[in-house]
Amino acid sequence: MENINKDYSRTVVLFALVSVGFTVTLAVAPLRDAWTSWRQTQGEYVEEARTRGFGANFTVGIRQIWNEELGIVDRCVTCHLGMGDDTPLPGQALFEEHPPIPHSTRAFGCTTCHRGQGWAT
């Protein structure tokens, strides 16, 4: 009888530990998105834009260019903010405007010419 109680106690302790681990995992999982590199990059953009006197209406989030005709989805502008619809910041590599080209970066995105991984973010 004593062995049964010990086995039962071990099972209860093991179940409690697994339950605590699972609860911690569920609590931390939604926070993972808050620590992404693109959020940090957009935070840097907001700080720089505000020091230059604009950027108050900036919304943090994934940005993408979708060209249905070419079947291309491009999320490069999530970090390369000056290439998309956000105000370019000269002197900041990620936030500068694209050099002059014969087509709109806002219509074609980056992956059309530069290849790469348009879905990657």
Side-chain angles (χ1 to χ4, degrees):
M1 188 73 162
E2 196 173 302
N3 282 340
I4 293 173
N5 285 338
K6 284 183 182 179
D7 289 342
Y8 179 74
S9 296
R10 287 181 189 150
T11 303
V12 169
V13 169
L14 180 62
F15 180 74
L17 290 174
V18 169
S19 295
V20 168
F22 184 67
T23 303
V24 168
T25 300
L26 287 176
V28 172
L31 298 175
R32 185 181 65 169
D33 188 44
W35 298 314
T36 57
S37 61
W38 65 263
R39 280 190 188 275
Q40 181 181 3
T41 299
Q42 288 187 3
E44 292 170 11
Y45 174 85
V46 169
E47 286 179 31
E48 183 64 28
R50 288 192 178 144
T51 61
R52 296 183 187 201
F54 58 90
N57 296 329
F58 185 85
T59 304
V60 173
I62 299 281
R63 286 152 168 65
Q64 72 180 24
I65 297 169
W66 178 40
N67 188 315
E68 186 176 12
E69 195 174 303
L70 297 175
I72 293 173
V73 175
D74 188 306
R75 293 186 180 158
C76 300
V77 293
T78 298
C79 294
H80 298 275
L81 294 161
M83 309 278 177
D85 293 329
D86 298 297
T87 305
L89 301 176
Q92 300 289 325
L94 277 176
F95 311 138
E96 288 183 335
E97 192 168 15
H98 196 284
I101 51 176
H103 61 270
S104 167
T105 57
R106 289 167 179 80
F108 289 94
C110 306
T111 56
T112 306
C113 298
H114 297 280
R115 306 294 181 247
Q117 302 169 343
W119 287 91
T121 301

